[in-house]
Amino acid sequence: MLASRAAIIGCGALGSAQAEALARAGVGTLRIIDRDFVETSNLQRQTMFTEHDAKERVPKAIAAANHIGEINSEVRTEPQILDVNHTNIERLIDQCDVVLDGTDNFATRYLINDACIKHQVNWIYGAAVGSYGVSMTIRPARTPCLRCVFEEAPPAASAPTCDTAGVIMPIINLVAAVQVTEALKLLTGQLAQLHNSLMQFDVWRNEWRKINPGSPSPDCATCGLRRFETLEPVTEDFAAILCGRNAVQISPTRPTQVDFGALAERLQGAGDVKFNDYLLRFRAGDYELTIFQDARSIIRGTDEISTARSLYAKYIGN
Ligand SMILES: [Zn+2]
């Protein structure tokens, strides 16, 4: 266990519960990847974080690493403040014995699936919304992959999300507990104990189900035909996604390193600027831009991708 390395992709509710459990179990190295910072509204379900983290707007990857250092100082942490995308996913799972899904969206899960099937890394899918949760353990070439089971992601805005429907904390802990237990079975080689199913639970309706996912499909684009579409470069200069709660995230497709001191100086006359080692916050009128070291930005105050792109171009540029 001490020689093992696990990657946790997304350190919100599920990811922070996984990180804490794996640290207490004594997994040697935890690579924790998250793009966001702690906010007060997270604390209801993201049990690793504190009011202090929210007040200081500490990036979640750093906050998790700090708390793990207090829980079990023998665990090595590799925090990464990053938006996971096709430019970095293969590097992020490199040298990992298992990858745990702590994300909240299918786009990132297909990226994880493509990279893990390509490089033969075991990964553990998990999701929770409302009082419902689901998990499946994916072992390349031995079990069906995510795309064997869900060929396409559900269309955008078709399903409830944690921002629209909320989520209760106990289902988070249940899904994370199943994921972590599967990870421990994999890391200790106790493969006969794996649950080998699409496991579903609803803690409010008292429903538990194990669905047999069958065998890997020879027609599956990912594990059958080995086409890893999500790992291909995209043609746009910037990827923009709605993050709910009146916010849009803009990411440059070519990662870069931002000099916060220089950027703060440029923005000084245009509004209120503050920065620390990890992020810069800029407020102008009704908008607030949070810029991370890799030039990714979360723009609050709009639901319009075009408005967000133009604010990005206006204040950050490319
Ligand atoms: Zn497949």
Side-chain angles (χ1 to χ4, degrees):
M1 290 277 283
L2 270 177
S4 309
R5 180 188 271 111
I8 293 170
I9 301 190
C11 194
L14 279 175
S16 58
Q18 295 157 6
E20 180 172 346
L22 289 170
R24 290 188 194 273
V27 170
T29 305
L30 293 177
R31 183 174 293 166
I32 300 169
I33 304 126
D34 193 278
R35 64 186 180 199
D36 221 336
F37 51 87
V38 181
E39 295 178 88
T40 307
S41 61
N42 302 150
L43 300 180
Q44 158 265 3
R45 61 184 186 275
Q46 303 186 12
T47 49
M48 173 115 72
F49 304 132
T50 63
E51 287 185 350
H52 176 264
D53 296 327
K55 188 161 160 271
E56 299 295 322
R57 299 169 82 87
V58 183
K60 290 179 185 178
I62 301 290
N66 291 343
H67 294 303
I68 287 167
E70 293 169 344
I71 290 166
N72 184 347
S73 58
E74 288 183 7
V75 174
R76 256 173 53 89
T77 50
E78 300 176 346
Q80 307 268 328
I81 310 165
L82 281 175
D83 181 45
V84 176
N85 59 41
H86 71 277
T87 67
N88 55 30
I89 182 67
E90 291 176 83
R91 171 171 67 76
L92 292 171
I93 65 156
D94 186 40
Q95 309 288 318
C96 289
D97 301 294
V98 64
V99 174
L100 285 90
D101 174 13
T103 68
D104 59 359
N105 66 84
F106 262 87
T108 311
R109 292 189 183 110
Y110 284 125
L111 267 176
I112 298 171
N113 192 56
D114 274 5
C116 285
I117 298 296
K118 183 174 172 186
H119 297 284
Q120 299 189 313
V121 179
N122 296 318
W123 77 279
I124 304 166
Y125 160 58
V129 64
S131 57
Y132 168 82
V134 58
S135 184
M136 186 172 81
T137 300
I138 292 152
R139 298 167 64 211
R142 297 179 185 276
T143 68
C145 80
L146 186 71
R147 209 176 279 281
C148 289
V149 177
F150 304 106
E151 197 177 343
E152 299 277 345
S158 67
T161 69
C162 289
D163 283 311
T164 58
V167 60
I168 57 169
M169 198 269 275
I171 189 64
I172 297 287
N173 283 354
L174 179 53
V175 173
V178 170
Q179 289 179 287
V180 166
T181 310
E182 291 282 284
L184 297 177
K185 294 170 192 170
L186 289 167
L187 295 175
T188 55
Q190 300 193 40
L191 306 180
Q193 305 299 324
L194 293 164
H195 65 69
N196 291 313
S197 65
L198 182 69
M199 206 181 253
Q200 299 180 324
F201 349 80
D202 191 314
V203 286
W204 209 258
R205 299 198 172 104
N206 313 307
E207 291 167 1
W208 300 70
R209 254 190 306 188
K210 273 177 78 180
I211 295 169
N212 179 354
S215 310
S217 160
D219 300 328
C220 169
T222 307
C223 69
L225 307 174
R226 297 188 68 79
R227 287 202 305 257
F228 306 111
E229 277 168 23
T230 68
L231 304 181
E232 303 292 326
V234 287
T235 48
E236 283 179 332
D237 289 342
F238 293 97
I241 53 161
L242 279 170
C243 344
R245 295 167 302 171
N246 206 25
V248 175
Q249 172 178 277
I250 305 275
S251 309
T253 45
R254 249 170 301 145
T256 135
Q257 189 75 22
V258 177
D259 179 342
F260 288 147
L263 180 60
E265 222 169 86
R266 284 206 298 281
L267 292 171
Q268 210 68 259
D272 181 25
V273 194
K274 286 198 187 85
F275 66 96
N276 59 26
D277 288 348
Y278 311 109
L279 54 87
L280 178 147
R281 190 155 43 123
F282 170 63
R283 195 187 288 273
D286 294 330
Y287 302 110
E288 184 189 283
L289 284 73
T290 302
I291 299 128
F292 295 84
Q293 285 172 328
D294 58 1
R296 184 169 50 82
S297 179
I298 291 175
I299 296 164
R300 291 191 195 284
T302 181
D303 282 320
E304 299 284 342
I305 284 176
S306 57
T307 307
R309 278 182 191 277
S310 84
L311 288 163
Y312 189 98
K314 189 168 165 190
Y315 293 118
I316 305 165
N318 50 10

